[in-house]
Amino acid sequence: MRLLSLTGLLLYSCLSSSLYAASNQWLAQLEAPFQQWQALIKTNPHLLLEQLHSMPAEHKNTALKQAQYHLLMSHASGALVLPEQSIQEAQAGLSLVTLDEQPWLYHQLQLSLALALDLDGAPAKGLDAVTQALLWAERHDDANLLVAALMTRGTLLNSLTDYLGAMADLQRAYNLAPQQSDDIARADIAGALALVYEYRGEDNLSLPYFQEAVDYYRQQPASVSLSIYLYGLGRANKNQGNTDTGRAQLQESAKISEQLEDHQGVAYALKEIAGMDLQAQRYTEAERQALEAIQLFRQADNNYMLLDTARLLSSIYLAQQQTERAQTWLQQALQALDPVSMPIQRVELAIQQAKVLAAQGHYQSAFDLLLQSTDEKQAIQNRQSSEQLHQLRSRYELDAQAHQNQILNAQNQLQQTQLQSQQRKNQLLILLFFCATLICTLLLFLFYRQHSHKRALQQLADTDSLTGLLNRRKTLALLQLQADLAKRHGFDFCVALVDLDHFKKINDSLGHQGGDVVLKHFADLCQKTLRHTDIVGRIGGEEFLIALPHTSIDDAAVLMEKLRKRAEDITKMMALTDLQVSISIGLVNNTPPRTAIELLAQADKILYSAKDAGRNRVVVDIPAVA
C-alpha cells in the first residue's frame, strides 16, 4: 500500500530542480527568467507559482518557452502537493514537444508527470516512461538525467511496495550522485533511501540516512528541503522511542514550514506531534493540534492525511471515553477512504471501528470485526517481498566477484611466469611447457568451478526451496516479460492467482511440517497438470501464480478447473479424515491489454471474489463490454 509521507514530497522538489541539469546543451537554450525561477523550487515554491502566473507574455511566445513554462508549473505544483494541477501542466508541456526534436525537455516532462501520478496515487502509470528516460540517458551518457530517472523510478517502485527494485535503483543513484550539488546531491538520495526503510517500518535503518540529509541541508540555502528532512528524522526518532529528540525536530520542521507558508508541511508536523501527545495522555494538546492539522489538510484536499488525521482524532476521543465523537471522526475518515488504493487504511479503520464498538459495549461485534481485520491485514503483509531475496542476491554478487578475482590472480601469475621464462636458457623450455600446461589446467578447473557455482546460485536464487517451483522474484520477472510480449504481439495471455483454502487451519491441525507436505503435493500437481510453456511459482505462504501464454480465457478456465479438482485428491494422498484440501482460483486475461501489475492486481481481486463466494472454485474475470 502506498503510504503518503511528507518526506516523499522532497523527492519531487529535488528532482524538479535537478531536471534542468540534464544536459548542458539543453541548459544553454533556457531563457534567463527560467533559470532564475527554477531555483525557487527548493526554497519557496509558493513564490515561484506567483511569479509564473504573472510572467510576461514575451516569455511564452514560442512553443519551446511554453513547454518550459508548463514544466516549471508542474514542478511547483508537485512540490506544493497539488498532483492534479501538476499532471495537467506536464501533459500540456508534452503536447508542445516531441522526443525527436527536444529529447531532453520531453524526458524531463515525462519524469515530472510520473512524479505527479505518484502523488495522485497512480505510480504504476508512469513506470514505462521513466524507464524510457533512463535507457535514453544511459545510451547518451547523460549522468544527470540518469540519476534523476533512477531516483524517480526508485520512488515509484517504493510506492508500489517493490522495495527490492526501489533499493537497487536508489543505491545506484546514490553511487553516481556527487557529494555536493545544486541539483540532486547524494544527501537527497540518502533521504530517498531513508524513505524506503520508513515504508518498510524499519525506522532504525532510516535514521542515519535522514541525518545525512539534515546535516547537508543545514549548510545549504534550501529551507524546503531542510524542513522535510527534519520531519522525516523527527518521525523516525519518534517511532524509535526518542520522543524528546523527535518532538524538537518536528517542531523545528513546523516552524520552518510556517515561515515558508507551507501549510501542509505545518500540518504534517502537527499531526505527528498530536500523536505523541496522545501517547503521553495530553489529550487537550493532542486534540488542538490534530484539529489544526486536519483543517490545513482539508484546504489542500489531501485525502490520505485527512483520513489519517481523522482516525487520530477518533483515537483521541476514544481515549477520553467520548465514544460518540470518536464515531463521528471515524465516519469522516471513512468518507476520505478509497478502498481500492488504500487497503491498509481500510483495515486500520476497521480495527478502529472495532475499538469503538467495544467501548460502546458491543463486544461480540467488535471481536468479529477485529478478527476479520487482523486476518486481512496479515494477508496483505504476506504478499510483500521478502528481504531474504536481497540478502541472497548480495551474497551471490560477492561470491561471483571473489571467483573473478581468483581468475585474475591466476592470469597475473601466468603472465609473470611467461616474462621470467624469456630470460631462461633453452634447456628450460620443456619445463616451462609443463608449467604452462599445469597453469592452464588450473585455470580451466577454476573456470569450471565458477561456472558450476554460478549455475547453482542462479538455481537457488530462482527457485522456492520448499516446493521446487519458481520463487516470487523470478515468477514476477517472467510475468512482466510475458505480459510485455503479449501486449506487443497481441496474443492471448491469462494469469491466475491460486490460494489454498483455510491453510491456517491445516497448519494448526497438522503442524507446519504437515502444511509443508500439502504445499509440496500441490506443487507436484501443478507440474503434472500444467504445460512446460506455462509459468508457475510460489509468491506467498500458500499463494501461487500461474501465467498461461498463448491461451484463451476459455482454455485457461478448463485447465484451472482440472487443477482445482486434482487438488481435492491431496486429501486422499495424505489420508486426511478431518480436513479437506481445496483451492480458490482467480483467473484473468489480457483483454483489454494490461500491464503485468494490472493483471496481478485484477487477479488478486478476482481471487478474493472466489473466497467471498465460498472458496474451492475458479472465478473468471469477465471484462466489461465497451
Side-chain angles (χ1 to χ4, degrees):
M1 173 59 208
R2 180 178 181 272
L3 172 63
L4 184 61
S5 168
L6 183 60
T7 51
L9 305 183
L10 180 65
L11 305 183
Y12 201 106
S13 64
C14 67
L15 279 173
S16 298
S17 178
S18 73
L19 295 180
Y20 285 91
S23 167
N24 290 331
Q25 176 182 349
W26 187 79
L27 270 173
Q29 302 176 30
L30 273 174
E31 299 292 328
F34 288 95
Q35 294 177 339
Q36 178 183 356
W37 286 329
Q38 65 91 12
L40 290 174
I41 291 173
K42 279 191 175 183
T43 57
N44 196 333
H46 282 285
L47 179 59
L48 173 60
L49 274 184
E50 293 176 4
Q51 294 189 5
L52 288 173
H53 283 304
S54 60
M55 186 175 69
E58 59 265 23
H59 294 311
K60 295 187 290 183
N61 57 7
T62 67
L64 180 61
K65 292 179 181 179
Q66 290 180 36
Q68 295 171 6
Y69 168 82
H70 288 301
L71 180 59
L72 278 172
M73 287 290 292
S74 178
H75 292 165
S77 301
L80 292 172
V81 202
L82 302 171
E84 293 183 0
Q85 182 175 329
S86 182
I87 290 171
Q88 292 172 2
E89 295 292 346
Q91 290 174 337
L94 285 168
S95 68
L96 299 171
V97 298
T98 64
L99 177 59
D100 293 334
E101 295 182 2
Q102 297 95 10
W104 327 102
L105 184 53
Y106 175 85
H107 286 305
Q108 291 156 10
L109 284 162
Q110 289 286 15
L111 293 184
S112 186
L113 177 59
L115 287 168
L117 289 168
D118 182 41
L119 288 180
D120 200 39
K125 293 182 179 180
L127 269 179
D128 290 342
V130 174
T131 300
Q132 289 178 10
L134 192 154
L135 294 174
W136 188 93
E138 288 180 330
R139 287 196 302 269
H140 293 81
D141 197 23
D142 192 328
N144 288 323
L145 182 58
L146 177 60
V147 171
L150 284 169
M151 194 169 179
T152 304
R153 192 170 71 173
T155 303
L156 302 184
L157 293 175
N158 193 29
S159 296
L160 292 167
T161 69
D162 183 1
Y163 302 124
L164 184 63
M167 188 65 72
D169 280 348
L170 293 174
Q171 190 63 56
R172 184 183 174 193
Y174 184 84
N175 295 335
L176 292 173
Q179 191 72 34
Q180 292 190 348
S181 173
D182 293 334
D183 308 304
I184 295 185
R186 188 170 297 173
D188 295 313
I189 306 173
L193 286 166
L195 192 61
V196 177
Y197 289 117
E198 178 194 347
Y199 278 30
R200 288 177 55 84
E202 298 174 327
D203 295 286
N204 60 318
L205 299 178
S206 72
L207 277 171
Y209 289 106
F210 275 131
Q211 188 66 59
E212 178 182 346
V214 168
D215 292 343
Y216 176 80
Y217 276 103
R218 285 197 186 279
Q219 310 299 322
Q220 306 296 323
S223 301
V224 173
S225 301
L226 178 59
S227 70
I228 295 175
Y229 282 137
L230 277 169
Y231 169 83
L233 184 60
R235 177 186 169 108
N237 271 311
K238 181 208 74 170
N239 293 340
Q240 282 296 103
N242 307 323
T243 54
D244 292 340
T245 302
R247 176 183 288 272
Q249 290 161 344
L250 290 167
Q251 289 173 339
E252 184 181 359
S253 174
K255 183 177 179 181
I256 296 173
S257 296
E258 187 174 7
Q259 293 170 350
L260 296 171
E261 297 184 1
D262 179 8
H263 303 305
Q264 285 211 77
V266 175
Y268 273 93
L270 288 177
K271 185 261 178 185
E272 292 298 325
I273 295 172
M276 298 173 72
D277 286 334
L278 171 60
Q279 291 182 351
Q281 299 182 359
R282 293 190 290 267
Y283 301 127
T284 302
E285 285 297 307
E287 178 184 4
R288 179 182 63 80
Q289 304 203 69
L291 287 172
E292 183 178 349
I294 203 167
Q295 183 62 32
L296 294 171
F297 286 133
R298 280 201 184 101
Q299 294 173 5
D301 197 24
N302 187 336
N303 276 343
Y304 283 97
M305 296 311 298
L306 277 174
L307 182 153
D308 209 20
T309 311
R311 185 180 64 182
L312 174 61
L313 280 163
S314 176
S315 298
I316 292 172
Y317 290 121
L318 189 61
Q320 301 176 75
Q321 301 300 315
Q322 299 181 34
T323 56
E324 291 186 4
R325 300 184 74 177
Q327 182 64 38
T328 298
W329 282 106
L330 181 58
Q331 289 301 318
Q332 293 200 27
L334 288 169
Q335 291 175 7
L337 175 69
D338 181 353
V340 176
S341 64
M342 304 178 181
I344 289 293
Q345 283 88 339
R346 174 171 52 83
V347 173
E348 294 295 344
L349 289 182
I351 293 174
Q352 180 69 13
Q353 181 67 70
K355 294 178 181 178
V356 174
L357 288 172
Q360 294 173 340
H362 305 303
Y363 300 112
Q364 185 60 47
S365 299
F367 175 78
D368 293 340
L369 182 57
L370 184 61
L371 184 62
Q372 177 185 352
S373 302
T374 302
D375 290 342
E376 187 174 355
K377 185 175 182 179
Q378 184 63 44
I380 293 172
Q381 292 173 343
N382 284 342
R383 290 195 293 269
Q384 296 183 348
S385 300
S386 171
E387 184 66 21
Q388 294 177 354
L389 290 176
H390 177 67
Q391 297 173 355
L392 180 60
R393 187 184 69 172
S394 298
R395 289 198 299 268
Y396 167 74
E397 290 174 350
L398 289 173
D399 289 343
Q401 185 62 46
H403 283 292
Q404 183 66 27
N405 290 339
Q406 288 180 2
I407 293 178
L408 290 174
N409 289 335
Q411 290 174 341
N412 289 335
Q413 291 176 7
L414 177 58
Q415 291 174 357
Q416 293 174 4
T417 302
Q418 290 173 340
L419 289 173
Q420 293 173 0
S421 67
Q422 293 176 5
Q423 302 173 0
R424 295 178 182 177
K425 298 180 180 181
N426 293 336
Q427 61 266 31
L428 298 178
L429 288 176
I430 296 177
L431 179 61
L432 177 61
F433 172 79
F434 285 110
C435 290
T437 302
L438 180 61
I439 292 173
C440 289
T441 303
L442 176 61
L443 288 175
L444 289 173
F445 176 70
L446 289 175
F447 176 81
Y448 175 77
R449 285 190 59 187
Q450 181 207 14
H451 182 72
S452 300
H453 197 185
K454 180 178 179 181
R455 184 170 53 189
L457 283 175
Q458 187 63 51
Q459 179 71 14
L460 180 62
D462 293 345
T463 305
D464 176 57
S465 59
L466 175 65
T467 62
L469 300 177
L470 298 176
N471 60 20
R472 178 185 178 86
R473 179 191 63 79
K474 187 63 175 179
T475 302
L476 295 181
L478 292 176
L479 173 65
Q480 180 71 56
L481 175 62
Q482 289 298 326
D484 290 343
L485 290 173
K487 187 174 182 181
R488 184 182 308 151
H489 299 294
F491 59 76
D492 289 333
F493 181 57
C494 295
V495 176
L497 274 180
V498 184
D499 192 86
L500 271 70
D501 298 327
H502 303 296
F503 191 73
K504 185 177 183 301
K505 183 177 179 181
I506 294 174
N507 270 338
D508 292 343
S509 300
L510 303 179
H512 287 286
Q513 290 183 344
D516 289 347
V517 174
V518 172
L519 291 174
K520 291 178 181 178
H521 277 302
F522 178 69
D524 185 58
L525 284 177
C526 287
Q527 292 175 331
K528 292 179 179 178
T529 304
L530 300 174
R531 302 163 301 187
H532 293 298
T533 56
D534 297 332
I535 301 167
V536 56
R538 182 187 181 198
I539 62 172
E542 66 274 15
E543 193 171 33
F544 299 79
L545 184 145
I546 299 173
L548 308 168
H550 300 283
T551 306
S552 68
I553 192 68
D554 293 334
D555 292 341
V558 171
L559 189 59
M560 292 300 99
E561 181 62 21
K562 181 178 180 181
L563 179 62
R564 185 193 67 79
K565 290 182 179 179
R566 285 191 171 185
E568 294 178 344
D569 293 337
I570 296 176
T571 305
K572 299 177 182 178
M573 296 177 189
M574 298 181 63
L576 302 177
T577 57
D578 298 328
L579 292 174
Q580 175 66 37
V581 177
S582 64
I583 59 175
S584 298
I585 302 176
L587 178 63
V588 302
N589 72 342
N590 63 336
T591 302
R594 304 173 181 172
T595 65
I597 293 175
E598 291 170 341
L599 286 168
L600 190 59
Q602 186 64 15
D604 187 65
K605 178 179 178 182
I606 300 304
L607 173 60
Y608 274 91
S609 298
K611 288 180 170 293
D612 291 340
R615 296 183 169 84
N616 194 19
R617 66 193 61 226
V618 178
V619 175
V620 180
D621 178 37
I622 302 177
V625 179

